[in-house]
Structure formats: C-alpha cells, structure tokens
Amino acid sequence: NAGVTQTPKFQVLKTGQSMTLQCAQDMNHNSMYWYRQDPGMGLRLIYYSASEGTTDKGEVPNGYNVSRLNKREFSLRLESAAPSQTSVYFCASEDRTPRYFGPGTRLTVL
Amino acid sequence: GEDVEQSLFLSVREGDSSVINCTYTDSSSTYLYWYKQEPGAGLQLLTYIFSNMDMKQDQRLTVLLNKKDKHLSLRIADTQTGDSAIYFCAESRSGYALNFGKGTSLLVTP
C-alpha cells in the first residue's frame, strides 16, 4: 500500500497561471480532504469530499475548486494563482478514523 | 473558531523523557490525535485516543487524556535524536472538521 500519494512534489507558478494538484489513495477510504499549511497558521481545511460524488467547502475555499474523480482520486485546482496561495498543500483520506496524510505539494506563486 | 493550544518549543536531552502538552476546546470531541512532521515531510499519524479513554500506551509513546480539563499530553520515553520534529495535536469536531494546534517543535540534543 502506498497510502496517500500527491503530485507534483514541488511547483512554481506565476500569478494568474492555473494548475491542478493530484491526490490518490489506495486504502479504499470514503472521505478525502485538502489542507494548506502556512507558517504560524497550522493546517486549514480547504475542501473535503465525504464520499464519491460529493464535495463541500472547508475553512478557506476561496480561489480553489475540487473534483472527486472517483473513490481513489481527489484533485485541487487553482484557476488563477495568487501569491497568497503560496503554501504547502496536503491531501488526506479517512474512513471513520484516523485521517492519513500525503507527503505534500510545495507551491510557490511568484 | 477556538484554538487548540500547544507550547511552541521543547528541548530535551537524548535519553530523557519528553512531554508535549495540548489543551483542546470541544468537550464533545470524539477522538484526539498526535501527528509528527519531520522537516520537509508530511504529517505522520503517531497515535490517537478515543474520548472515553484516559490513557493509551504504544511502545515508547504514552497518551494521557484529562477530559475535565480538556488536556491531552504525549510522553515519549527514551527520546532519541530521530524524535526531533514538530508534533501536532488535533481534535475531531462535528462533521468532518479536524482542528489542529499550531505544533510543538521538539529538539533533542545529544
């Protein structure tokens, strides 16, 4: 089992560019999550998907969209990247408990 | 929302015990978690405890839960240099929320 995997590991964007962060899990979990981690702010929930076919906003959804492609995959899209979106992004999955996290994507927006 | 509180830094000598403390906010939290994050890496689940338990032991790790004071602690016995990392406390909330503290940086010195 690979657990939760994320691609890419690193990305640099210019302001206004778009990109999609990919996440996949092989644990047959129903729920999947996207978080961002910023210095001094801890982890904040962007979006989550309780089950295949559903998505809901978290604490900081503005500027992001998500797609739950199937039970395994949950992607996060930045349509027009802004410097404020420079962060480390973590995907997580869960089936009741506990929540397992991926290795992260380090995104810099110039 | 209300914060999960943790001290920011802890320094211990190799071989000593480390105790990392956390106060949480929601008396109805179902589960409480400890995650470990090494530099440049994702969040690794260390252990978690159900709210109807007072203590959980797992090899060198001991978790103590005081529900009355909403206090959670993580004790690491025989601390090693490889234990140097940031440790996050998290409480489950209603729905899918998982509320994180800002993390405690543990430095283990030889």
Side-chain angles (χ1 to χ4, degrees):
Chain A
N1 280 355
V4 181
T5 56
Q6 294 183 235
T7 55
K9 286 188 167 51
F10 300 94
Q11 184 71 48
V12 179
L13 293 177
K14 293 181 180 176
T15 297
Q17 287 185 315
S18 62
M19 80 161 294
T20 300
L21 281 64
Q22 307 286 353
C23 173
Q25 53 92 9
D26 61 2
M27 296 175 281
N28 203 35
H29 287 168
N30 284 309
S31 303
M32 298 186 72
Y33 306 82
W34 277 105
Y35 288 85
R36 60 178 288 173
Q37 184 180 35
D38 302 292
M41 300 292 291
L43 281 94
R44 293 180 291 171
L45 181 64
I46 305 171
Y47 269 94
Y48 67 96
S49 170
S51 60
E52 188 179 353
T54 69
T55 61
D56 284 287
K57 294 178 181 179
E59 192 182 347
V60 288
N62 290 346
Y64 305 95
N65 285 301
V66 289
S67 296
R68 184 73 182 268
L69 305 168
N70 47 55
K71 193 171 186 180
R72 286 188 66 247
E73 298 170 289
F74 188 38
S75 62
L76 178 72
R77 183 157 178 86
L78 287 71
E79 288 292 350
S80 179
S84 61
Q85 294 178 304
T86 293
S87 188
V88 182
Y89 291 86
F90 290 103
C91 178
S93 74
E94 178 183 66
D95 202 6
R96 298 201 179 129
T97 207
R99 199 163 298 182
Y100 293 97
F101 285 79
T105 294
R106 282 147 186 82
L107 175 67
T108 301
V109 183
L110 302 174
Chain B
E2 294 175 72
D3 291 338
V4 173
E5 300 284 346
Q6 299 179 241
S7 54
L8 289 180
F9 300 104
L10 177 65
S11 180
V12 300
R13 300 190 74 155
E14 194 173 16
D16 288 349
S17 292
S18 307
V19 179
I20 302 172
N21 294 301
C22 167
T23 54
Y24 60 98
T25 59
D26 190 349
S27 57
S28 65
S29 291
T30 313
Y31 290 94
L32 295 128
Y33 304 83
W34 285 104
Y35 288 89
K36 175 184 179 183
Q37 186 177 33
E38 297 184 35
L43 275 78
Q44 173 195 349
L45 177 70
L46 278 181
T47 187
Y48 63 101
I49 187 167
F50 190 50
S51 59
N52 69 352
M53 297 169 66
D54 296 324
M55 186 182 92
K56 181 178 180 180
Q57 189 152 3
D58 185 0
Q59 298 182 333
R60 292 191 298 123
L61 305 179
T62 303
V63 178
L64 294 178
L65 176 60
N66 181 330
K67 289 185 286 294
K68 176 176 167 292
D69 295 336
K70 294 184 211 158
H71 183 264
L72 183 74
S73 67
L74 174 70
R75 178 177 180 270
I76 306 172
D78 187 25
T79 313
Q80 303 297 308
T81 54
D83 294 322
S84 292
I86 302 176
Y87 290 81
F88 290 93
C89 167
E91 61 169 346
S92 63
R93 290 268 184 98
S94 60
Y96 292 87
L98 191 59
N99 197 27
F100 284 86
K102 291 186 170 53
T104 299
S105 290
L106 174 65
L107 175 65
V108 183
T109 56

